[in-house]
Structures are given as C-alpha cells and as structure tokens.
Amino acid sequence: MLDDFIARAALAGIGVSVATGPLGAFVIWRRMAYFGDATAHAAILGVALALATGLPVAAGTLVVALAMAATVSGLAGRGWAMDTTLGVLSHAALAFGLVAVSFVPGLRVDVQAFLFGDILAVGRGDLGWIWLGAVAVAGLIAWRWSALLTATLNEDLAHAAGIDPGRERLVLTLALALVVAVALKVVGALLIAAMLIVPAAAARTLARTPEAMALAAVGIGALATLGGLAVSLRFDTPAGPSVIAVAAILFAGLLAVAALRRKA
C-alpha cells in the first residue's frame, strides 16, 4: 500500500489533520490566526538554514518555527499590539527566508514546493515524520486539554484554579511550531494557517462541545485531504491548494446547512 504515492499522500494529509484539528480549534478560540501565519512563514527561513548547513529540512524548519513562535508568544505576554506586530513579523520572515534561499549555492530545490506543499512527493521517511509529529501534537493537547481550555476561556479563572496561562500559551506555541514543521511538506508555508483554521471553523457549525469540535475538525481535515487529492488527480490541479479549496467548500456547505436549520 505504501508503495502507492497516492496512498502515501492520503496518509500524510490525514496525519496532518490529526494535528491541525484540535490545535486549529484553539487557534480559533484564541483568535491566533495571525500567530499561525507568522510561525508558518518563518518556516521558509528554516528551509534556507537547513539547505545552507546540510541539516534535514524538518529540523531547520522546527528550530526557526520554535524561535518565531516563542518570540510572538513573548510579545503577546508583554501586551504588544499584536495585529501590527504579527503582520510585520509574518511578512518579514517570509521575505528574509526567500532572500536567504537565493544565497544558498548550487540550490536544486523547488522553493515553490515549500510555499504551497508537495503532498504527492511524500516518501516513507516523510510519512513517518508527519505521523510522529501529529501523534506528539495530539498527545500534548490531550494531556493539557483541561488546562488549555480553562486558560482559553478565562485567565482569571485559570489563575484561581492554579493554572498558569503563560505556561499553557507556551504549550500551544510548541504545538504550533511542531505542526508547521510537520505540515510544510504537505500544504506548504502559505497554506498551513488555512489547514489550521478552515476545518476547525467548519467543525464549529456542527459541534456542541469543545471536544466534539476538535474531533470534527480532524474528520473534516481528513475529508478535505481525500477530496483535494481526488480533484488534483481528476483536473491536474496543485494538490496542496486543492486540499484547502475542498476544505473551504466544505466550510461553505456546512455554513449554509446551519443557516437553513436556524430558519427552519
């Protein structure tokens, strides 16, 4: 089965959905969309670092994503105006990453694959890395679920319960950086934030509890992956963007169904 590149692509996309589903729910609840963008865009700088030093691309991506996520988290804790700060950091990181890649001598890598993903080129090693990271992220969020949810709902309530909101923000920061490193190969730096937000936003129209929303986001992400791959094969469209397009269609459809139910 794993010799089939379509099967590997499908398993890779589902693995990413396992990580982005529950994390995406917290991204929406905490209004961290720009946070995800900044961390994902910084991944390109990590790619340049890895190519220049001979490190695995996943390792370079993870290091820089962690650095960016920690920086953003620290600024958020100091009360900075985050819209402007994140906008500057996000686009500056992407620009510096693309410039840095151009200085790598003898580069024979398609940078576009890192921007938009290349899910059809996922190999067995990539698949192992994706699922290892996905299980780690899902396990981390499951372990800290109650504390994360309390800190998200009300920081004063979290303090009263003996929970440090800053520590829980750091947990989300680490999870987000790991998701960026895992998802870069599949959907690329420019679409990672969409994979976090769109399935979770679609799941919100179905779910009545936080746990149900997280699980539904995983299912919708997996369905978008399979649908996007089918569209890509049928119409010869880019696979990564096709996955996000199908996720957006699912979101629009579920939103329409929810609106009809409210009118009924």
Side-chain angles (χ1 to χ4, degrees):
M1 178 180 178
L2 292 182
D3 290 332
D4 186 339
F5 75 99
I6 295 298
R8 289 197 300 269
L11 288 173
I14 293 170
V16 168
S17 298
V18 168
T20 58
L23 184 58
F26 280 103
V27 167
I28 286 178
W29 293 332
R30 286 175 169 255
R31 299 181 180 179
M32 293 171 59
Y34 246 145
F35 189 104
D37 261 342
T39 307
H41 288 177
I44 298 300
L45 191 57
V47 170
L49 174 67
L51 294 175
T53 59
L55 289 171
V57 169
T61 300
L62 181 59
V63 167
V64 175
L66 279 171
M68 174 61 83
T71 299
V72 172
S73 182
L75 293 176
R78 295 180 182 180
W80 283 52
M82 294 313 296
D83 277 358
T84 301
T85 303
L86 287 173
V88 171
L89 289 175
S90 173
H91 296 97
L94 179 60
F96 277 114
L98 291 173
V99 170
V101 165
S102 70
F103 282 102
V104 178
L107 180 65
R108 296 183 179 179
V109 176
D110 182 10
V111 178
Q112 187 171 339
F114 294 110
L115 291 174
F116 299 103
D118 194 6
I119 190 172
L120 295 179
V122 168
R124 291 190 180 202
D126 297 320
L127 197 56
W129 162 249
I130 288 168
W131 272 96
L132 181 64
V135 170
V137 170
L140 179 62
I141 292 178
W143 172 48
R144 302 301 304 169
W145 180 264
S146 180
L148 284 169
L149 198 56
T150 302
T152 297
L153 291 173
N154 190 303
E155 290 196 359
D156 291 334
L157 180 62
H159 281 298
I163 297 169
D164 181 4
R167 181 184 61 199
E168 303 313 317
R169 185 167 54 243
L170 180 60
V171 168
L172 286 179
T173 296
L174 294 173
L176 188 58
L178 188 53
V179 161
V180 168
V182 165
L184 188 69
K185 181 82 174 182
V186 177
V187 291
L190 297 183
L191 300 176
I192 289 173
M195 196 63 179
L196 283 165
I197 296 167
V198 179
R204 186 163 57 177
T205 65
L206 297 173
R208 295 181 180 272
T209 66
E211 293 79 6
M213 179 173 164
L215 291 173
V218 173
I220 291 170
L223 186 59
T225 294
L226 298 177
L229 288 173
V231 168
S232 177
L233 289 172
R234 176 67 178 83
F235 299 103
D236 194 25
T237 56
S242 296
V243 169
I244 304 302
V246 170
I249 291 170
L250 290 173
F251 168 69
L254 289 171
L255 205 62
V257 170
L260 290 173
R261 284 180 178 175
R262 284 195 298 267
K263 291 181 179 179

